[in-house]
Amino acid sequence: QVQLVESGGGSVEAGGSLRLSCVASTDTPRMGWFRQAPGKEREPVACWYRIDDSTYYADSVKGRFTISQDNSKRTHYLQMSNVKPEDTAMYYCAAGDSPYGMCVVAFHTYWGQGTHVNVSS
């Protein structure tokens, strides 16, 4: 069982920056960040694949958000820059056992408790 603990959420003004962190209890082949706004489905934000160090970003965050890792600390980050009010959501760190596959909820078995991000205009 993989345990994930997120931190770093909070309130920020539009155009500002925020960094989310996720500490994992063990290494996994893939890590992802997802978000869920009230009344909406959980959606992918970004994913990282250990096998080739590749990344995926949703179109809505491309160029603004960056996913990164500190493998020595088993810590994964989501750097959020130039945030917009529509980025307001609960953000979840997730991990999966498959080194391949799309950046979607179904490929991620393990989930953190979530950290809330509120962007004010």
Side-chain angles (χ1 to χ4, degrees), residues 11-61:
S11 295
V12 60
E13 292 185 353
S17 298
L18 205 62
R19 189 177 77 163
L20 307 183
S21 300
C22 173
V23 180
S25 60
T26 187
D27 292 336
T28 56
R30 62 188 296 155
M31 295 293 298
W33 286 95
F34 293 76
R35 67 185 182 187
Q36 188 167 18
K40 294 189 176 181
E41 291 188 357
R42 193 168 298 188
E43 63 178 9
V45 175
C47 283
W48 170 73
Y49 301 86
R50 185 181 300 275
I51 193 168
D52 59 3
D53 199 26
S54 63
T55 56
Y56 162 88
Y57 293 95
D59 287 343
S60 58
V61 306

Side-chain angles (χ1 to χ4, degrees), residues 70-105:
D70 183 337
N71 289 319
S72 65
K73 298 179 182 179
R74 289 185 178 145
T75 303
H76 306 266
Y77 303 100
L78 183 70
Q79 178 67 47
M80 307 169 62
S81 301
N82 190 23
V83 296
K84 304 175 181 180
E86 50 264 42
D87 294 323
T88 295
M90 184 71 79
Y91 282 73
Y92 297 91
C93 173
D97 295 319
S98 172
Y100 305 104
M102 297 173 62
C103 185
V104 295
V105 170

